[in-house]
Amino acid sequence: MEENRLDSVVEAVSEMESDLKDGGLLSVGVAIRRAAAELGVNDTTTRKDIGALVAAGRLVEVSHVGRRLLLPWPAEFTDPPVRWVNGSVKRGWYEVTEDRQVGSAMAKVRFLFTPERLTAMLERIRHEYAAAAGEQKRREEESQAEAAEEEATFKKHHPALADLLERLHERVHTPRRSARGVRMFSTEDDFGLRSRVMIEVSNERFAALEQALRDGLGEEQK
């Protein structure tokens, strides 16, 4: 009798999932109340049944920290995508989002999955993440190629200045830092030549930048 009831709970959860959109989340609380009503038992019984099903691996419970979902990614996936919870406790609806949303507190809310739907969701998120990463890499490569072309144009039209800027870059740039040092760009179109120089250094290189400019300008240290 109990085994049949557990089967019915799994079936009820699966039916609830079928009503959700791709990114929809089923909270444990909502699952308990709906399953209990459907099966004609009290919430306490259904809560125990779901606990037993989670322990047996027939259902999966997922929690969150500060709305960041603690999804059970496989161990070999070393850089898993971060996904967040958006939703309303009052309305009882929740969804997965790529960006953190501001909303009401939901620290105690947990989510319930059948293993099949959880696997499908992880696979979908993984593919979305891979596609986004591929698109980001493509944009970065295009940007790098464009910057290299504009630098070459700058060097063609301002060779002496480019040589000085390259030497300045060697003195102030810190490898493996986000600050990219001294960069030069030139573009040519129907309106003529437009050139610009950008200097971006980290805080600890400010002194080196100041000294390099003083040396280059022949200005005495004040």
Side-chain angles (χ1 to χ4, degrees):
M1 185 68 176
E2 180 181 351
E3 187 61 32
N4 291 337
R5 191 178 68 245
L6 292 178
D7 291 341
S8 297
V9 172
V10 173
E11 184 177 345
V13 170
S14 182
E15 289 177 357
M16 289 179 229
E17 288 181 332
S18 67
D19 294 333
L20 297 172
K21 296 180 180 179
D22 284 345
L25 293 169
L26 176 65
S27 74
V28 173
V30 168
I32 289 172
R33 291 191 295 273
R34 291 184 182 176
E38 182 177 328
L39 300 177
V41 297
N42 59 47
D43 288 2
T44 301
T45 298
T46 304
R47 184 178 293 106
K48 290 179 180 178
D49 288 345
I50 287 178
L53 290 165
V54 170
R58 297 183 62 187
L59 293 175
V60 183
E61 191 174 291
V62 173
S63 58
H64 68 95
V65 174
R67 292 186 173 234
R68 177 174 176 166
L69 278 172
L70 302 178
L71 294 167
W73 292 103
E76 63 271 15
F77 202 40
T78 56
D79 185 26
V82 174
R83 289 296 182 268
W84 305 87
V85 181
N86 182 35
S88 166
V89 176
K90 185 176 181 179
R91 294 172 58 189
W93 71 268
Y94 309 91
E95 64 180 355
V96 179
T97 61
E98 292 186 27
D99 302 310
R100 191 171 190 269
Q101 307 291 322
V102 177
S104 58
M106 55 174 68
K108 296 182 179 180
V109 179
R110 292 161 291 123
F111 305 98
L112 198 63
F113 293 83
T114 58
E116 295 78 14
R117 185 168 189 270
L118 179 59
T119 298
M121 177 175 284
L122 292 177
E123 188 67 12
R124 179 173 59 81
I125 292 173
R126 188 179 68 82
H127 281 299
E128 290 173 352
Y129 181 71
E135 177 62 19
Q136 177 65 22
K137 182 178 180 181
R138 184 190 65 78
R139 288 197 298 265
E140 289 176 354
E141 289 174 347
E142 286 183 352
S143 178
Q144 290 171 0
E146 182 178 316
E149 182 178 348
E150 292 181 352
E151 181 179 319
T153 302
F154 187 100
K155 291 179 177 179
K156 173 184 174 183
H157 290 278
H158 312 286
L161 177 57
D163 181 65
L164 291 171
L165 291 172
E166 284 186 330
R167 280 188 275 165
L168 176 61
H169 175 81
E170 291 174 0
R171 292 184 61 175
V172 301
H173 180 238
T174 304
R176 297 181 297 279
R177 288 294 185 92
S178 58
R180 289 173 285 185
V182 182
R183 292 179 293 160
M184 59 199 88
F185 310 90
S186 286
T187 57
E188 287 183 288
D189 54 28
D190 294 339
F191 298 97
L193 178 70
R194 288 194 296 270
S195 302
R196 67 190 191 278
V197 174
M198 298 179 65
I199 301 176
E200 183 183 12
V201 298
S202 53
N203 289 344
E204 65 269 21
R205 302 300 292 167
F206 278 7
L209 174 61
E210 180 180 350
Q211 189 61 50
L213 292 175
R214 288 183 185 279
D215 292 345
L217 294 172
E219 181 178 350
E220 294 182 0
Q221 189 86 17
K222 294 182 180 179

